[in-house]
Amino acid sequence: MGTTDSKLNFRKAVIQLTTKTQPVEATDDAFWDQFWADTTTTVQDVFALVPAAEIRAVREESPSNLATLCYKAVERLVQGAESGCPTEREKQVILNCTRILTRILPYIFEDQDWRGFFWSTVPGAGRAGTDDLDDDDGARPLAESLLLAIADLLFCPDFTVHSHKRGPDSVENMQSIDSCEYIWEAGVGFAQSPPLNYIHDLNRTELLRLLLTCFSEAMYLPPSTDNSVLNPWVTFFCSTENRHALPLFTSLLNVVCAYDPVGYGIPYNHLLFSDYREQLVEQAVQILIVTLEHDGGVPYRPPSPSSMEEQETTGPENLFVNYLSRIHREEDFDFVLKGVARLLTNPLTQTYLPNSTKKIQFHQELLVLFWKLCDFNKKFLFFVLKSSDVLDILVPILYYLNDARADQSRVGLMHIGVFILLLLSGERNFGVRLNKPYSIHVPMDIPVFTGTHADLLIVVFHKIITTGHQRLQPLFDCLLTIVVNVSPYLKSLSMVAANKLLHLLEAFSTSWYLFSAAQNHHLVFFLLEAFNNIIQYQFDGNCNLVYAIIRKRNVFHQLANLPSDSASIQKALQRKRKSPDVISRTSSQETVSMEGSHPAVPAEPGTLKTSLIAMPGIDKLTEKSQVSEDGTMVSVPKTDSPDTVPSDQTEMERRRLSSASSTSFWAPTPEWVLSWKCKLPLQTIMRLLQVLVPQVEKICIDKGLTDESEILKFLQHGTLVGLLPVPHPILIRKYQANAGTAMWFRTYMWGVVYLRNVDPPIWYDTDVRLFEIQRM
């Protein structure tokens, strides 16, 4: 009965607030206490009992009451952080204030006139009887007081951490606590694992949810490529002003990387116990990716005359980025890598008992976190590539890419997976590691093959290109760049993978495809470069690929003789109109899919997705490096090489999403065809065909062979030493960050956070401007 009463009283207080036309004094504690002192409402209750329309009505019609409500709630959090919430009642007050602020903040952010409110000091509001607040925090903006209170409360004994004192006077002094002794989980920089306490986990989750809501002001600003504008909430929270920055960063990272969702190996365990740790891990990983977005710069503040000079200098260093970049111990790297790999692999683990293990849903956040780790800590990246552990990251990424290829609501997931592989492929070790045999066989909707991880990568990429949805076309360049980057190191491709690569060349080199968009010929250049790398540097083990090239030799001859006169161009384009989608229809000898796999399916109707900004083209995403004799890389100056677009065409490239309309911007001409046709790198392959085709034909005639294995045996022992052109230097296209990719990451990351926080729906139906919410 008590709960119903308290909900009723809470609802009455909300109605009073929305109907009062006169400002309520900040000193009227009897009125304000109704919101948090005598109620036991869950966060879901608060969202139900405080409707959006009423928050907006108070904001418009009695702004001073909304301001006072925010101020009073922050004041209670500050008091709780100072006292350490010794009583149950005080703990309940803190949770109620946390929930109310989580509910209200998005409506503050959506109104431009209110956005500066938390960064102002509230003159004389509610200062009666709080002299200490006046002295210490009198000049502090409300946002800073709120953020520091949350940080303190996240290390509050018997509320969010275990108390170390166990005497009659066991109240610990909040001001003198060394929070480094209260880190939430063993792992990086901390050896003790405190006992699990689900109440602490729940309280931490509530506070982190409020923290995430504070950081979400970024959602209410339109996309901008100006990277110097920072999120003031994140900037302050990750600065030296927050004395708990290090222990909190460590707690968040350790809680995520130590989490094992399997439930101590007991099947169906997750159905018996509500897993409070999972909710905490989800909030923790979201806080991490949001705080790691910026590595310092100018925080945005509404300009005031006094702050103008400060705007010139960069803002304080982001301590979370600093700590992440300074992790260096092998055992810490091992802990982080194994934790991330375990969680990424979790949705793939098939057991004989359906639904017997818990499936986590936060793999997109984990991929962003892994990206940040590699981006900010190069030692971590090298550690990942030092052993075949990198394959424990590769396999789940390929699984997600293959699984999401038909689902337009997961196009962001496709991008982040491909970006990680592009980043890894810029390092030689990644290509070398791919030669490890692939034996685990995660059930995937791909042809069965026997081979290496390189074969798996090629087979999955082929599947994405030939059976993915239309909006994945901008990723084709990236996928083939990855193949080119690893190609010089691939010792032995399987017949299945070799045939897939040849099938892609066949599809991309049809004249109608080459002539139908300004940059389609790049895909042919990438594939030819990959073939050349394998022939020149790994000929000995690659008889399958050589055989596939010989069988499909007409494709190379047709490319060499590609017609470039106007009549042929027109004829090819007319053919295109009759058969608009030849890539996926060209016969590709599809074989049986792996046992236990499910086909990739489109999104369910009604699925919500958030919009993404266009990605920069591959020439902006990467910079070329040449591999020298000793294996070191030398940067190559930018020129208009055949596979980069002349600058006047880059705008056209951005339009590729709507390839149907691109014809109205651009038409192929004979001069244009000749400009790149003469640069097609066909010499090596033509020489190979010239030498080997007569030999293979002679054997077939002499021995009456129709058996593939005999021909492969001959090719295996053949050699082209001294017969091929001088090997070209290996070119690697390494990922490079720029303003465009930084903005893409921001919109993608906040889109994921928006869609994943549905209970309660923190931002639902508010005026978000960083992206659009679309229903499939």
Side-chain angles (χ1 to χ4, degrees):
M1 183 65 202
T3 331
T4 320
D5 278 355
S6 76
K7 278 191 202 176
L8 203 60
N9 294 339
F10 182 77
R11 179 68 193 134
K12 278 183 190 162
V14 174
I15 292 168
Q16 279 183 306
L17 185 71
T18 49
T19 51
K20 278 191 191 293
T21 46
Q22 293 305 307
V24 183
E25 284 300 318
T27 49
D28 185 353
D29 284 338
F31 176 76
W32 298 112
D33 280 354
Q34 300 176 92
F35 290 97
W36 39 72
D38 310 308
T39 58
T40 46
T41 45
T42 64
V43 68
Q44 287 78 9
D45 291 337
V46 170
F47 272 69
L49 298 170
V50 188
E54 293 181 18
I55 303 174
R56 289 189 176 115
V58 178
R59 189 183 70 197
E60 304 310 321
E61 288 152 34
S62 41
S64 69
N65 286 345
L66 182 61
T68 308
L69 179 68
C70 292
Y71 171 74
K72 294 295 284 184
V74 173
E75 184 183 62
R76 293 309 291 260
L77 290 180
V78 170
Q79 288 166 357
E82 286 176 354
S83 71
C85 315
T87 67
E88 285 308 311
R89 186 167 181 273
E90 284 174 84
K91 292 182 174 70
Q92 194 56 53
V93 167
I94 292 301
L95 292 172
N96 289 337
C97 290
T98 301
R99 292 160 188 164
I100 286 170
L101 286 167
T102 303
R103 179 62 173 142
I104 291 173
L105 273 167
Y107 299 90
I108 300 279
F109 295 151
E110 73 173 4
D111 187 324
Q112 210 173 339
D113 298 335
W114 273 84
R115 234 169 269 147
F117 166 71
F118 268 86
W119 293 99
S120 59
T121 47
V122 184
R127 288 290 156 82
T130 51
D131 298 335
D132 56 332
L133 202 80
D134 217 6
D135 296 343
D136 297 343
D137 286 16
R140 268 209 191 284
L142 209 49
E144 295 185 0
S145 301
L146 171 58
L147 290 171
L148 293 177
I150 295 172
D152 280 340
L153 288 163
L154 285 168
F155 292 98
C156 180
D158 284 330
F159 182 53
T160 50
V161 290
H162 280 272
S163 174
H164 289 182
K165 280 192 175 174
R166 274 288 164 262
D169 53 341
S170 74
V171 177
E172 280 145 294
N173 180 357
M174 287 292 286
Q175 278 62 50
S176 60
I177 270 181
D178 176 4
S179 42
C180 288
E181 294 173 10
Y182 291 85
I183 288 170
W184 301 348
E185 185 57 78
V188 176
F190 194 68
Q192 296 85 35
S193 190
L196 275 176
N197 180 320
Y198 81 94
I199 302 280
H200 293 173
D201 276 2
L202 283 173
N203 295 342
R204 292 164 179 171
T205 303
E206 298 249 19
L207 288 163
L208 291 180
R209 187 186 292 124
L210 172 57
L211 190 56
L212 191 63
T213 310
C214 291
F215 295 159
S216 72
E217 185 182 321
M219 283 194 207
Y220 298 88
L221 303 172
S224 130
T225 46
D226 181 1
N227 269 354
S228 63
V229 175
L230 298 189
N231 183 330
W233 297 83
V234 172
T235 303
F236 179 80
F237 191 79
C238 298
S239 74
T240 48
E241 296 271 355
N242 177 3
R243 71 187 180 100
H244 304 295
L246 176 60
L248 185 57
F249 169 76
T250 312
S251 294
L252 296 169
L253 185 64
N254 291 354
V255 153
V256 172
C257 296
Y259 179 55
D260 186 356
V262 173
Y264 310 101
I266 307 164
Y268 300 104
N269 195 29
H270 64 288
L271 301 177
L272 305 176
F273 307 104
S274 186
D275 187 352
Y276 300 107
R277 182 51 57 117
E278 186 186 15
Q279 296 172 31
L280 175 63
V281 171
E282 290 204 0
Q283 295 292 336
V285 73
Q286 289 176 6
I287 292 286
L288 279 172
I289 62 175
V290 168
T291 46
L292 293 169
E293 191 202 351
H294 292 295
D295 49 356
V298 186
Y300 169 77
R301 292 282 167 77
S304 66
S306 62
S307 66
M308 283 305 186
E309 312 85 72
E310 296 164 29
Q311 295 268 315
E312 297 307 306
T313 62
T314 55
E317 182 177 30
N318 180 325
L319 292 180
F320 277 34
V321 173
N322 176 308
Y323 298 143
L324 183 77
S325 66
R326 285 182 17 213
I327 298 172
H328 63 278
R329 295 190 320 169
E330 296 256 319
E331 56 268 40
D332 289 342
F333 286 155
D334 189 58
F335 165 75
V336 170
L337 179 59
K338 284 203 164 55
V340 172
R342 177 176 59 247
L343 291 170
L344 284 176
T345 310
N346 162 269
L348 287 59
T349 44
Q350 297 279 328
T351 64
Y352 298 106
L353 304 167
N355 306 321
S356 65
T357 53
K358 187 183 194 68
K359 275 200 174 175
I360 60 153
Q361 302 295 325
F362 52 92
H363 47 274
Q364 296 194 81
E365 294 96 317
L366 284 166
L367 289 173
V368 177
L369 178 62
F370 181 76
W371 172 271
K372 296 287 179 195
L373 282 157
C374 293
D375 196 22
F376 287 132
N377 192 324
K378 287 293 171 262
K379 285 183 181 154
F380 177 75
L381 176 62
F382 298 140
F383 177 84
V384 168
L385 293 165
K386 199 173 71 171
S387 72
S388 52
D389 287 352
V390 65
L391 303 175
D392 298 336
I393 299 286
L394 169 75
V395 171
I397 289 177
L398 291 174
Y399 171 86
Y400 294 128
L401 291 178
N402 187 57
D403 188 54
R405 68 178 192 270
D407 181 346
Q408 294 211 17
S409 73
R410 291 197 281 168
V411 72
L413 168 62
M414 298 292 294
H415 277 75
I416 180 80
V418 171
F419 291 157
I420 289 174
L421 299 184
L422 180 63
L423 181 75
L424 295 174
S425 75
E427 306 297 332
R428 174 185 176 276
N429 265 357
F430 182 64
V432 173
R433 299 283 162 237
L434 290 177
N435 291 306
K436 186 176 178 181
Y438 175 64
S439 53
I440 45 176
H441 297 305
V442 169
M444 281 158 103
D445 173 28
I446 53 171
V448 179
F449 69 92
T450 304
T452 65
H453 284 76
D455 296 312
L456 176 69
L457 179 129
I458 288 166
V459 168
V460 169
F461 283 10
H462 174 269
K463 196 88 176 177
I464 293 166
I465 291 171
T466 56
T467 66
H469 58 76
Q470 188 67 23
R471 293 192 57 212
L472 296 180
Q473 281 203 10
L475 282 177
F476 290 3
D477 282 345
C478 272
L479 292 169
L480 294 188
T481 298
I482 294 164
V483 172
V484 174
N485 280 351
V486 301
S487 60
Y489 312 110
L490 304 184
K491 289 189 161 50
S492 170
L493 285 183
S494 69
M495 190 58 91
V496 172
N499 284 334
K500 296 301 181 199
L501 287 177
L502 266 297
H503 172 238
L504 288 179
L505 182 72
E506 199 175 0
F508 289 146
S509 61
T510 55
S511 54
W512 74 259
Y513 188 78
L514 285 170
F515 298 158
S516 62
Q519 64 302 309
N520 282 356
H521 62 283
H522 297 174
L523 302 172
V524 169
F525 275 86
F526 285 137
L527 284 164
L528 291 175
E529 194 179 329
F531 294 151
N532 289 341
N533 282 342
I534 294 173
I535 293 165
Q536 291 279 21
Y537 292 99
Q538 299 290 350
F539 179 81
D540 285 353
N542 273 297
C543 58
N544 289 327
L545 181 69
V546 173
Y547 178 60
I549 288 173
I550 291 173
R551 280 187 52 213
K552 292 285 183 185
R553 56 191 178 276
N554 62 320
V555 176
F556 299 96
H557 291 301
Q558 281 166 4
L559 258 178
N561 301 314
L562 185 75
S564 56
D565 57 289
S566 298
S568 301
I569 292 174
Q570 287 316 309
K571 202 166 155 190
L573 291 174
Q574 277 160 357
R575 204 174 316 141
K576 180 207 172 183
R577 289 184 194 105
K578 287 178 199 150
S579 58
D581 192 14
V582 172
I583 292 185
S584 50
R585 305 289 167 260
T586 321
S587 69
S588 161
Q589 303 109 25
E590 270 309 317
T591 43
V592 183
S593 276
M594 293 173 73
E595 193 184 335
S597 67
H598 301 288
V601 290
E604 292 279 322
T607 303
L608 288 180
K609 67 185 270 282
T610 53
S611 63
L612 289 164
I613 60 165
M615 271 311 297
I618 192 72
D619 54 323
K620 299 267 191 308
L621 267 181
T622 54
E623 67 180 8
K624 291 185 185 172
S625 296
Q626 200 167 302
V627 180
S628 49
E629 295 288 317
D630 60 356
T632 55
M633 293 205 189
V634 187
S635 192
V636 178
K638 284 212 164 183
T639 57
D640 262 355
S641 67
D643 56 310
T644 57
V645 202
S647 52
D648 58 330
Q649 288 175 6
T650 45
E651 184 47 40
M652 231 168 287
E653 182 158 16
R654 306 308 323 126
R655 320 251 183 205
R656 176 153 43 166
L657 275 173
S658 52
S659 52
S661 64
S662 61
T663 42
S664 58
F665 292 99
W666 171 86
T669 63
E671 297 75 34
W672 170 78
V673 176
L674 288 169
S675 72
W676 54 261
K677 181 185 162 184
C678 65
K679 296 174 185 165
L680 283 167
L682 286 164
Q683 303 82 336
T684 300
I685 292 171
M686 289 309 192
R687 184 76 185 123
L688 173 141
L689 292 172
Q690 196 185 353
V691 173
L692 291 180
V693 169
Q695 295 182 3
V696 170
E697 285 175 342
K698 186 176 186 309
I699 289 176
C700 291
I701 294 163
D702 290 357
K703 300 194 176 176
L705 280 184
T706 50
D707 182 9
E708 270 188 9
S709 60
E710 288 294 322
I711 299 169
L712 287 169
K713 204 173 286 178
F714 162 74
L715 291 173
Q716 211 169 345
H717 297 110
T719 177
L720 291 175
V721 173
L723 297 173
L724 291 177
V726 177
H728 54 282
I730 296 172
L731 265 191
I732 301 293
R733 292 165 184 82
K734 288 174 83 92
Y735 169 83
Q736 57 168 5
N738 57 48
T741 53
M743 196 61 229
W744 185 90
F745 269 104
R746 185 179 310 165
T747 51
Y748 169 61
M749 175 185 75
W750 278 113
V752 169
V753 169
Y754 178 99
L755 292 173
R756 297 263 302 108
N757 283 275
V758 289
D759 182 26
I762 304 178
W763 301 281
Y764 186 70
D765 242 1
T766 60
D767 188 14
V768 169
R769 299 183 62 204
L770 184 61
F771 44 77
E772 290 169 26
I773 294 94
Q774 299 153 345
R775 201 174 279 283
M776 298 298 294

